Amino acid sequence: MKKLTVIATMLLVLASCGKKEKEFDATGAFEATEVTVSAKSTGELEMFNLTEGQTLEAGIQVGNIDVTQLTLKKNELATASSQLAANKEQLRSNRRATDSKQLYLQKQVASLKQQIANAQRERQRFTELVKDGAVPRKQLDDINYQISVLEKQLSATTDQLAATNRSLAEQSAGIGAQISGIEAQQQGINVQQAQLDDQIANATVRTPIRGTVLEKYVEQGEFVSVGKPLFKMADVDNMFIRAYVTSAQLQNIKVGQACKVFADYGNGQKKAYEGTISWISSRSEFTPKTILTDDERADLVYAVKIAIKNDGFVKIGMYGEVKF
């Protein structure tokens, strides 16, 4: 009886061992969002101040490409722009001078007309006085002479005003055409200046994200061209593990689902992290040779990304496990 009890106990232990829950549902490697920064301008790298492993904030200036030629060109355009502005102002000044002359002649015409009207009223009054013998005839003659002189002045001034008006019309048309031409040239210079400003701004090398410098491809003093890689950095604070699941596992997981992630340091050393499924592939692929799945017979698997908050211990490429 005692022997039967021992055998039964051993069978229960073996059965329980056979039903032991698997420690992980999927495996993969840790990755981070990596950004390769390339040159946006061509020239000598005058300043390049960063080191591999350095953590930098986004928007920090770490380098500068020589912009001497661009600056010289911009100065030339500024000089040309100033000259065009001066020419434009001179044309406007000439037009204002002609306008002033026209206004002066108009006032002269109006003044002469008023003087003639006043003199004519005086003539009418003196004509009556002369008839009555109250004043000598000479005073009436003087008024007639004055009116004659004023009328001649009015005629001459009117002719001068007409000529000025014709000249002003011709000058205005010519000045307007010249100003339009200058404004067109100015617009072209403004476009070139904006392009140069953009090129000069592109000569400043800045960090695109907050992250750690992974690789540095060039050194200060080197000549770089547009598109040449300068350095690569990654956001290692927010990492993810790319794991693979079978089609049978898909029905039990979804984007936004919480899960456990384990960083494997080898020799049974692991560290757990809280993870969130951030992406599930919409197409299958053949199981990568380095990946273990819940179903070792599976040929086709689906990639998933599980995001974690890194505490500084997880490294890119490190092996990990996922428990859903």
Side-chain angles (χ1 to χ4, degrees):
M1 185 67 178
K2 185 175 182 180
K3 209 180 261 188
L4 289 173
T5 303
V6 172
I7 292 173
T9 303
M10 291 178 65
L11 289 173
L12 287 171
V13 171
L14 289 172
S16 63
C17 290
K19 294 179 181 179
K20 185 178 179 181
E21 185 180 0
K22 198 170 184 179
E23 294 183 355
F24 60 86
D25 295 318
T27 64
F30 286 99
E31 301 177 5
T33 300
E34 299 181 4
V35 179
T36 298
V37 179
S38 300
K40 296 182 180 179
S41 182
T42 297
E44 180 184 343
L45 195 58
E46 292 183 322
M47 186 272 284
F48 196 50
N49 184 26
L50 56 77
T51 56
E52 293 180 351
Q54 185 178 9
T55 299
L56 299 169
E57 296 294 329
I60 299 297
Q61 181 179 352
V62 295
N64 191 69
I65 299 171
D66 178 40
V67 292
T68 301
Q69 295 303 317
L70 295 176
T71 302
L72 291 174
K73 181 63 177 177
K74 184 177 179 181
N75 291 339
E76 289 179 5
L77 290 175
T79 301
S81 179
S82 297
Q83 185 60 52
L84 287 174
N87 293 343
K88 184 177 179 180
E89 181 56 34
Q90 182 61 50
L91 289 171
R92 287 177 171 172
S93 178
N94 293 342
R95 185 157 64 183
R96 285 195 297 269
T98 305
D99 289 343
S100 297
K101 182 178 181 181
Q102 181 190 40
L103 182 61
Y104 170 77
L105 291 174
Q106 289 173 345
K107 290 181 177 179
Q108 284 290 97
V109 168
S111 176
L112 288 170
K113 287 181 177 180
Q114 184 63 46
Q115 292 180 57
I116 291 173
N118 293 337
Q120 288 174 340
R121 284 194 294 272
E122 283 294 299
R123 181 172 62 183
Q124 181 64 32
R125 187 169 66 86
F126 272 82
T127 298
E128 297 297 328
L129 292 174
V130 169
K131 287 181 179 180
D132 295 338
V135 294
R137 178 78 185 185
K138 184 176 183 308
Q139 289 188 8
L140 181 59
D141 293 340
D142 290 342
I143 293 174
N144 286 329
Y145 177 76
Q146 181 184 4
I147 291 174
S148 175
V149 171
L150 289 172
E151 287 175 341
K152 290 179 181 179
Q153 290 179 354
L154 176 61
S155 177
T157 304
T158 301
D159 291 343
Q160 189 177 1
L161 177 60
T164 301
N165 288 337
R166 289 192 296 269
S167 176
L168 179 61
E170 294 173 358
Q171 288 184 27
S172 294
I175 290 174
Q178 293 180 65
I179 289 177
S180 296
I182 289 175
E183 289 175 344
Q185 294 179 60
Q186 184 67 64
Q187 187 175 5
I189 288 178
N190 291 342
V191 171
Q192 294 181 62
Q193 287 178 324
Q195 292 173 339
L196 286 173
D197 287 338
D198 183 62
Q199 293 175 29
I200 290 173
N202 286 337
T204 300
V205 182
R206 297 185 183 276
T207 53
I209 61 172
R210 183 190 185 281
T212 301
V213 179
L214 300 182
E215 295 181 75
K216 182 180 178 182
Y217 303 120
V218 296
E219 295 294 338
Q220 182 173 317
E222 290 188 37
F223 184 88
V224 298
S225 57
V226 175
K228 181 178 179 63
L230 303 178
F231 65 98
K232 179 165 67 176
M233 64 189 308
D235 179 8
V236 295
D237 291 334
N238 300 286
M239 296 185 65
F240 57 90
I241 182 172
R242 182 187 291 269
Y244 294 86
V245 298
T246 64
S247 56
Q249 291 175 294
L250 281 178
Q251 62 182 338
N252 298 320
I253 64 173
K254 62 181 180 179
V255 174
Q257 179 179 326
C259 56
K260 281 287 185 181
V261 176
F262 301 90
D264 193 336
Y265 295 93
N267 297 323
Q269 300 295 316
K270 298 181 181 181
K271 189 169 184 179
Y273 294 89
E274 295 295 329
T276 304
I277 299 176
S278 59
W279 172 79
I280 301 175
S281 176
S282 58
R283 64 174 59 185
S284 62
E285 57 186 284
F286 287 104
T287 308
K289 294 181 180 180
T290 57
I291 298 300
L292 294 177
T293 64
D294 187 54
D295 182 359
E296 295 180 1
R297 298 169 300 174
D299 292 327
L300 295 175
V301 292
Y302 295 83
V304 297
K305 288 182 181 180
I306 299 96
I308 68 163
K309 190 70 176 178
N310 189 12
D311 57 1
F313 291 99
V314 178
K315 306 300 180 184
I316 297 174
M318 182 181 289
Y319 179 78
E321 299 170 351
V322 182
K323 184 68 176 176
F324 296 116

